[in-house]
Structure formats: C-alpha cells, structure tokens
C-alpha cells in the first residue's frame, strides 16, 4: 500500500484515485498507472504506508527537487499544461479535455484583462 499526498489539500478524484484533504491510500498493483502518474508530476509525495519516514517527491528526478508548482500556467501555455493543472486541482481529465485552452485559463485565472 502507498500513501499519496497531493500538492494541495483537495477532496476529489485525480486519475481515478480518491483524495480526501489531499491524501489517498492506494494498492500499488491495482493502481499502477495512477502511481506512475503521481511519480511523474511535481508536488505529489508517494510513500509506503508502512514506512511514514520514507518520502519520494514525485517527479523529483525530472524537475529538480519535487517542489510544488508555482501556480497555474500562463494563459499562452499549451492545452496539455492546462489539462495537467486542471486535473491537479481536482477536475476530471475528461472534463478538462472537453474545454479549450482559453476556457481552462479563464476558469483558473479569471476573464482575460483582469
């Protein structure tokens, strides 16, 4: 079993894993793809449940330390970046994909010009 800690205290499903106040416990074998997702994305902490001292910041090897993201992407960021941000905030991937990049930016940054 693994404990996943999200970068923010969300209560939502992220890639099929239910988080409550930013924490989820998953079976590593049953949720192999989700665990891989959390390890690739900055800010998530993946650790064995039986060893609370062992932490592995997700994406630390790729991002330089696994620091939490600074905030939402810029308005001109790719749609993929916006989908990643939206799902990290608790939106389902399907819902995020259904919106345009500009609609996602407006949802998280407010109307253009504000």
């Amino acid at each position: 079993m693994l404990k996943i800690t999200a970068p923010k205290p969300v209560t939502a499903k992220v890639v099929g894993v239910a988080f409550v106040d930013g924490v989820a416990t998953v079976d590593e074998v049953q949720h192999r793809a989700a665990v891989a997702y959390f390890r690739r994305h900055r800010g998530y902490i993946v650790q064995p449940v039986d060893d609370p001292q062992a932490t592995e910041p997700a994406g630390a090897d790729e991002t330089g330390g696994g620091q939490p993201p600074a905030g939402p992407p810029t308005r001109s960021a790719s749609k993929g970046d916006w989908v990643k941000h939206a799902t990290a905030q608790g939106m389902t991937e399907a819902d995020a994909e259904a919106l345009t990049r500009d609609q996602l930016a407006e949802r998280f940054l407010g109307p253009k010009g504000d």
Side-chain angles (χ1 to χ4, degrees):
M1 293 295 285
L2 296 173
K3 176 182 173 184
I4 314 287
T5 305
K8 295 186 179 182
V10 298
T11 299
K13 277 193 174 183
V14 179
V15 294
V17 174
F19 282 81
V20 176
D21 294 327
V23 178
T25 303
V26 298
D27 179 282
E28 187 171 10
V29 175
Q30 284 184 315
H31 293 92
R32 187 174 312 200
V35 170
Y37 171 90
F38 297 125
R39 285 188 169 141
R40 283 192 315 268
H41 289 81
R42 284 192 339 198
Y44 288 95
I45 298 172
V46 179
Q47 65 191 60
V49 171
D50 56 352
D51 185 4
Q53 298 302 316
T55 61
E56 176 186 331
D61 56 333
E62 303 164 19
T63 60
Q67 295 298 315
T74 62
R75 282 191 192 276
S76 61
S78 71
K79 181 174 180 185
D81 287 344
W82 274 106
V83 169
K84 285 179 189 176
H85 177 73
T87 58
Q89 300 305 307
M91 184 180 277
T92 66
E93 190 167 353
D95 287 346
E97 287 288 353
L99 298 174
T100 66
R101 177 195 71 184
D102 292 339
Q103 288 170 323
L104 288 166
E106 188 167 309
R107 174 170 276 186
F108 292 99
L109 297 176
K112 196 171 185 176
D114 278 357

